[in-house]
Amino acid sequence: MARKPHPRAVAAASAVVSATRSAAFAAPGAALTPASPPAPARTLCRALLGPRPLIDGEDRTNYDVILERISADVAPEDFVEEMWVRNVVDLVWDSVLLRRLKSHLLQAAAHEGLTRVLAPLLDGASAGQLSKLWAAGDEKAVCEVERLLGRADLTIDAVMAQTLAARIDDVERIDRMVIIAEARRDAVLREIRSRRLAFGQALRRAGQAVDAEFEDLAPAVGGT
């Protein structure tokens, strides 16, 4: 005689089956997308995670845009995922910041590259002094540098190439920091995906167990 499941168990299991079958009929390869927590809960989570990691001069609006867009894509379900999303956003922000600082570093050190370029054209002391005046925006120095570069058939690219050579160790360190930040970002995203997949697999196992209960009940129902 087939065993009848308890009515409450059937009702709860039916809800699980419904969620499981919805996931099963999703597009192939599509990840489960949990509902986002209510706005007050998300606000509380963000408050607990502390202020934005900004330095003086950075626009908080840009950070908030990245946070909102990544939150919309990931749709964090609970505090753990909110924490991971915040971590991803901070790492993305770090990568952008590091690249921007690398650019500023090369611009600020351009006079060092110019000194290297001018050294063969002038004596060392004159090259260094002219480069400093050029960096300060002195009009006569700027015109003289342009004249010297033109006479040597060189452009500002030669100056920046020498600047890169002068600061190559700093640039390499910054690049390594960018690589580390991006690797950590990707690891967090993989962790979120793994957690979602584990949740989906648990739903599917629960659904299969409920289906088996109904299959046991089917002969008895058909017999009546």
Side-chain angles (χ1 to χ4, degrees):
M1 182 176 179
R3 181 171 58 87
K4 252 187 165 180
H6 190 281
R8 290 183 180 176
V10 172
S14 298
V16 174
V17 173
S18 177
T20 306
R21 288 177 176 169
S22 296
F25 284 103
L32 292 173
T33 305
S36 300
R42 174 166 292 180
T43 301
L44 175 60
C45 288
R46 293 181 181 178
L48 291 173
L49 292 173
R52 305 166 184 80
L54 307 181
I55 61 177
D56 290 343
E58 290 188 309
D59 188 352
R60 59 182 289 177
T61 302
N62 292 337
Y63 180 91
D64 290 343
V65 168
I66 295 175
L67 175 59
E68 290 304 325
R69 290 191 176 183
I70 292 180
S71 295
D73 288 342
V74 177
E77 183 183 33
D78 50 29
F79 182 76
V80 171
E81 292 191 2
E82 283 282 357
M83 181 176 63
W84 284 344
V85 165
R86 174 64 181 271
N87 198 1
V88 168
V89 174
D90 288 351
L91 291 168
V92 169
W93 189 258
D94 285 347
S95 298
V96 174
L97 173 62
L98 287 167
R99 288 190 173 93
R100 188 168 68 249
L101 293 180
K102 180 174 71 173
S103 175
H104 290 322
L105 171 65
L106 293 176
Q107 291 176 15
H111 67 283
E112 298 177 13
L114 181 60
T115 300
R116 290 189 175 199
V117 171
L118 295 180
L121 309 176
L122 300 169
D123 64 85
S126 297
Q129 183 62 27
L130 182 58
S131 298
K132 289 180 180 178
L133 291 172
W134 171 83
D138 182 85
E139 291 185 8
K140 291 182 179 180
V142 171
C143 292
E144 179 63 12
V145 167
E146 290 178 354
R147 186 186 69 81
L148 291 170
L149 291 178
R151 190 177 68 181
D153 197 23
L154 298 172
T155 67
I156 193 65
D157 286 344
V159 174
M160 297 313 298
Q162 287 290 358
T163 304
L164 176 61
R167 292 302 185 102
I168 190 64
D169 290 341
D170 295 329
V171 169
E172 286 182 343
R173 282 196 291 270
I174 292 174
D175 285 342
R176 284 197 294 271
M177 293 171 69
V178 171
I179 291 171
I180 291 171
E182 292 180 344
R184 290 172 59 194
R185 175 203 65 196
D186 294 343
V188 174
L189 291 173
R190 285 195 298 272
E191 189 67 27
I192 294 174
R193 176 176 174 79
S194 175
R195 192 172 188 255
R196 298 273 179 87
L197 289 175
F199 176 70
Q201 290 169 359
L203 279 180
R204 290 184 183 89
R205 285 194 297 269
Q208 290 168 358
V210 173
D211 285 342
E213 288 285 345
F214 280 105
E215 286 173 2
D216 287 345
L217 182 61
V221 174
T224 62

